[in-house]
Amino acid sequence: RFQWVNQAFEALSGYSRDELIGKKSFFDFFSQKSQLPLLYGASEIRSSQTTDCEVLFIDRQGKSHHVHLSATLIPNSYDLLVSLMDITRERELERRLFKSEELAAIGELSAGIAHEIRNPLVAMTTSIALLSEEPSLSPEGHQVLNVLKEEAHHLAAIVDDFLKFARPKKPVW
């Protein structure tokens, strides 16, 4: 049970001091999944006097917050001094950074694949051009080469568009 809370905890939890002190259990603010490291940490506090862990805190409206929890056993008592720091924003920024790095890697890989497709495509269009100049080529052969030439140009356009999309853009200020 709470014995004292500061304004920051009131703001984080959504409860007033009067609603918390002596009435609410500290464990009411944690989901089942995140209670496990907290309970494990609480048993460690008995021996080491302090513990630190990251847990998921649930406020009055049911909104989740990532918090860093530090708990210290007060000497000669069974009471704990618990400090929470809301690190939700930091975790979201880390998630975005990871996603950004992941997308950059996919872009690099895609550009490499597109270049690997372009190389045989150039060989194909060059071969088509040389074959179309062959004097002994039948009209049907010319027709087939024209279809191949059109399809190769179509593929080249797709690769070009893809490379334009995959290349990093310069920031616009």
Side-chain angles (χ1 to χ4, degrees):
R1 301 265 174 238
F2 291 94
Q3 294 182 16
W4 185 85
V5 294
N6 63 11
Q7 289 177 342
F9 189 82
E10 287 179 288
L12 179 65
S13 70
Y15 289 92
S16 71
R17 187 171 289 154
D18 292 336
E19 292 174 297
L20 292 167
I21 294 178
K23 298 174 186 147
K24 282 273 190 199
S25 168
F26 184 68
F27 294 104
D28 292 345
F29 292 97
F30 300 93
S31 69
Q32 292 295 338
K33 289 177 187 173
S34 67
Q35 273 190 11
L36 297 176
L38 180 67
L39 293 171
Y40 174 74
S43 66
E44 279 190 357
I45 294 170
R46 301 280 179 238
S47 60
S48 68
Q49 302 296 320
T50 190
T51 190
D52 288 295
C53 58
E54 189 174 316
V55 293
L56 201 57
F57 180 91
I58 312 296
D59 68 16
R60 183 179 206 152
Q61 285 75 39
K63 184 178 175 191
S64 298
H65 302 265
H66 290 273
V67 296
H68 178 265
L69 180 142
S70 179
T72 305
L73 183 63
I74 297 174
N76 303 320
S77 80
Y78 292 101
D79 295 336
L80 295 173
L81 175 62
V82 179
S83 171
L84 298 177
M85 183 170 30
D86 190 349
I87 56 172
T88 304
R89 185 169 186 270
E90 288 82 355
R91 291 297 169 260
E92 177 60 22
L93 291 173
E94 285 175 2
R95 188 193 66 75
R96 286 183 188 177
L97 177 63
F98 179 76
K99 187 69 173 173
S100 172
E101 289 171 350
E102 191 177 64
L103 290 173
I106 290 170
E108 267 183 54
L109 179 65
S110 301
I113 291 170
H115 282 292
E116 290 301 318
I117 292 171
R118 180 183 272 172
N119 291 337
L121 201 52
V122 168
M124 289 168 54
T125 52
T126 303
S127 298
I128 291 168
L130 289 173
L131 284 173
S132 65
E133 294 173 5
E134 184 64 37
S136 62
L137 190 64
S138 69
E140 292 83 17
H142 276 289
Q143 260 185 326
V144 169
L145 286 178
N146 283 336
V147 169
L148 289 173
K149 183 178 177 182
E150 285 176 26
E151 294 302 323
H153 284 301
H154 178 68
L155 281 174
I158 290 171
V159 169
D160 288 342
D161 289 345
F162 185 78
L163 284 172
K164 286 177 193 172
F165 178 76
R167 284 189 186 111
K169 310 287 186 284
K170 290 183 180 178
V172 179
W173 302 99

